[in-house]
Amino acid sequence: MRMSHARPSRPQNEESLDAAKLELGEDFHDAECLLISEVKVLLEAQYDSKKEEKNLDETYIKTLEYVQQFSRYTNRDTIKEVRALLKPTELEPFECAQLGNLCCSEYDEAKTLIPSIGSKISDDDLDSLLKQMDSLKKYQG
């Protein structure tokens, strides 16, 4: 007898989900949003013990490869500094994570890719924030 490994589907009204309006669904209500670089740090911290226990499944390996490829910040100090830059803004955690992951070079690019930030932050403040993040990315050790 063959067992199905399909995940049970959750009934959700697909039309009600819209990241541009921060309508992310119940799973994301009060959830902490991580930067890809933060996920990389967490997965790499678990790697040795998982390898020792022979507990490296395909999903873990593929996720680790993904975050290693797309991580924008390479050390913990830089990640902390990026978080510190984003924290005092009026942006939602999801928007902060998107800014940190996308590393936009221009404020209009950020506002196009993350439409929900709209008027929450001035163009000048957003431009300054993006330049500071870019500087951290360029000069990380």
Side-chain angles (χ1 to χ4, degrees):
M1 186 166 146
R2 206 167 174 195
M3 295 183 71
S4 172
H5 293 287
R7 294 173 58 172
S9 62
R10 293 185 198 161
Q12 278 195 354
N13 182 356
E14 298 261 341
E15 294 175 25
S16 69
L17 302 179
D18 186 353
K21 298 176 185 173
L22 289 180
E23 296 168 356
L24 305 173
E26 286 300 314
D27 290 343
F28 288 93
H29 186 67
D30 294 328
E32 181 65 31
C33 297
L34 299 176
L35 302 176
I36 292 172
S37 300
E38 292 170 317
V39 175
K40 177 180 174 266
V41 167
L42 294 171
L43 291 178
E44 287 178 345
Q46 296 176 348
Y47 181 78
D48 288 335
S49 64
K50 283 190 168 289
K51 186 176 179 183
E52 203 172 278
E53 297 169 8
K54 296 181 175 41
N55 193 17
L56 294 171
D57 63 21
E58 183 179 353
T59 303
Y60 178 87
I61 297 293
K62 291 206 179 278
T63 304
L64 181 59
E65 289 171 354
Y66 177 89
V67 297
Q68 287 172 333
Q69 181 175 355
F70 293 104
S71 178
R72 302 291 190 204
Y73 308 103
T74 58
N75 68 56
R76 291 178 185 194
D77 291 335
T78 303
I79 295 167
K80 287 178 187 176
E81 290 182 52
V82 169
R83 273 290 176 194
L85 285 173
L86 294 168
K87 190 172 186 171
T89 66
E90 297 295 319
L91 302 176
E92 296 294 325
F94 176 78
E95 296 163 327
C96 290
Q98 291 304 306
L99 281 175
N101 289 332
L102 294 171
C103 293
C104 300
S105 56
E106 303 288 332
Y107 70 87
D108 56 339
E109 176 187 19
K111 286 190 169 190
T112 299
L113 293 174
I114 314 164
S116 62
I117 63 176
S119 61
K120 292 180 183 179
I121 185 170
S122 73
D123 292 349
D124 289 339
D125 288 346
L126 181 56
D127 190 52
S128 174
L129 178 64
L130 294 174
K131 285 179 180 169
Q132 291 175 65
M133 290 169 51
D134 187 53
S135 179
L136 288 171
K137 187 173 76 169
K138 284 181 183 175
Y139 300 110
Q140 57 192 331

